Every structure is written in structure tokens, then in C-alpha cells.
């Protein structure tokens, strides 16, 4: 299975949600889009908010670069910094908005012709299968196989 890397916009959206929740109050107004540069420890988002990359990394409790990459605060590969800088700049200047995160199907989303199998029942991560029901008209083919083995 090939997993596609997250786009710069998706990672920046993750970063916005992180900073909205855990960043300093009024963080958006504290970043100067004109000098913003993800490749600069002083002019990146974290550097502008916390004065230095190292201080911000500790404050946000990033244990490694991969965490910062997921939130669009550190380039994932060569050439990625320009895409991240452009995405952050567009967002801060109001040229784009944060996309809503994907939402797992809930019980109310399941139609009578759909499987409805409940994953992770009783946890905050509960979601429901919305695949079409299979031959037995109980669950989708994948979950019918699961029930056949129990």
C-alpha cells in the first residue's frame, strides 16, 4: 500500500489547528508574513512566535522533526520549505482558509442499505462503516467475513 504524503496546505491546516489550541493567544497577529521563511529558525512560524525554533519546539513538545513536519512547521524534504512558506503566507494574508478536517461517520450517518458496523465501540474514536451491505444484508462483505469467524 502506498501512502501519499500530505500536501503543504493540509500540513499547514494541521498547524493552524495545533496553534489555535496550544499556541500563544493571538498567535496569528504575531507572525509577519512579509519575513516568513520556514527555512529560517528566527523567521519561521515557530521562531516568530517563540523567539527561536528550539524554544518553540520545547514549548509545543515536539520530540522530533516528524511531528513538526505533520503540522507544517518544518520541511519534510528538500524544496518543501517554499511550499510551506507560501501556504502559511496565503493563510495569514486571508488568501485561503483552513479546510475542515475529515470526520468519521457517526450512527446518524448510516443509511438502512449501509453496513453500520461500529468500530472501537465505547471509545472517543467510535465510527461506523458506511459501505453497502453484502449478500446477507447484515453487513458489508468485509465485516460479514469478520462475523463469520467469530
Amino acid at each position: 500500500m502506498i501512502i501519499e504524503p500530505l500536501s503543504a496546505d493540509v500540513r499547514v491546516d494541521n498547524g493552524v489547528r495545533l496553534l489555535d489550541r496550544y499556541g500563544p493567544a493571538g498567535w496569528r497577529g504575531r507572525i509577519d508574513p512579509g519575513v516568513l521563511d520556514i527555512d529560517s529558525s528566527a523567521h519561521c512560524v515557530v521562531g516568530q512566535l517563540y523567539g527561536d525554533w528550539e524554544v518553540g519546539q520545547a514549548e509545543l513538545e515536539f520530540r522530533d522533526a516528524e511531528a513538526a513536519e505533520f503540522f507544517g512547521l518544518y520541511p519534510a524534504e528538500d524544496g518543501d520549505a517554499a511550499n510551506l512558506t507560501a501556504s502559511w503566507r496565503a493563510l495569514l494574508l486571508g488568501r485561503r482558509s483552513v479546510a475542515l478536517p475529515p470526520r468519521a461517520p457517526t450512527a446518524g450517518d448510516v443509511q438502512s442499505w449501509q453496513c453500520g458496523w461500529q468500530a472501537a465501540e465505547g471509545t472517543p474514536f467510535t465510527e461506523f462503516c458506511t459501505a453497502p451491505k453484502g449478500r446477507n444484508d447484515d453487513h458489508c462483505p468485509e465485516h460479514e467475513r469478520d462475523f463469520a469467524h467469530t
Side-chain angles (χ1 to χ4, degrees), residues 48-59:
Q48 289 191 50
L49 292 177
Y50 296 97
D52 180 74
W53 168 256
E54 299 294 328
V55 173
Q57 185 179 10
E59 190 71 28

Side-chain angles (χ1 to χ4, degrees), residues 17-148:
R17 285 188 280 276
L18 172 80
L19 293 171
D20 281 348
R21 185 161 185 176
Y22 300 108
W27 70 266
R28 290 179 195 222
R30 295 174 55 187
I31 298 172
D32 180 353
V35 298
L36 182 64
D37 181 0
I38 293 296
D39 260 346
S40 166
S41 63
H43 297 111
C44 65
V45 172
V46 173
Q48 289 191 50
L49 292 177
Y50 296 97
D52 180 74
W53 168 256
E54 299 294 328
V55 173
Q57 185 179 10
E59 190 71 28
L60 294 168
E61 298 181 11
F62 291 149
R63 298 200 192 312
D64 55 34
E66 285 181 0
E69 289 169 11
F70 178 80
F71 294 107
L73 298 167
Y74 191 84
E77 56 193 34
D78 289 341
D80 190 37
N83 293 330
L84 289 173
T85 299
S87 183
W88 276 106
R89 189 172 285 137
L91 189 128
L92 293 166
L93 294 173
R95 295 185 198 139
R96 76 173 196 86
S97 57
V98 177
L100 293 174
R103 183 180 68 82
T106 64
D109 296 326
V110 178
Q111 305 295 315
S112 61
W113 55 271
Q114 293 174 317
C115 175
W117 184 81
Q118 185 177 3
E121 184 176 356
T123 72
F125 306 107
T126 296
E127 61 183 272
F128 294 80
C129 177
T130 55
K133 287 183 179 178
R135 285 181 301 222
N136 295 338
D137 207 32
D138 288 330
H139 299 285
C140 67
E142 182 178 337
H143 290 118
E144 283 179 355
R145 282 193 304 273
D146 291 345
F147 284 102

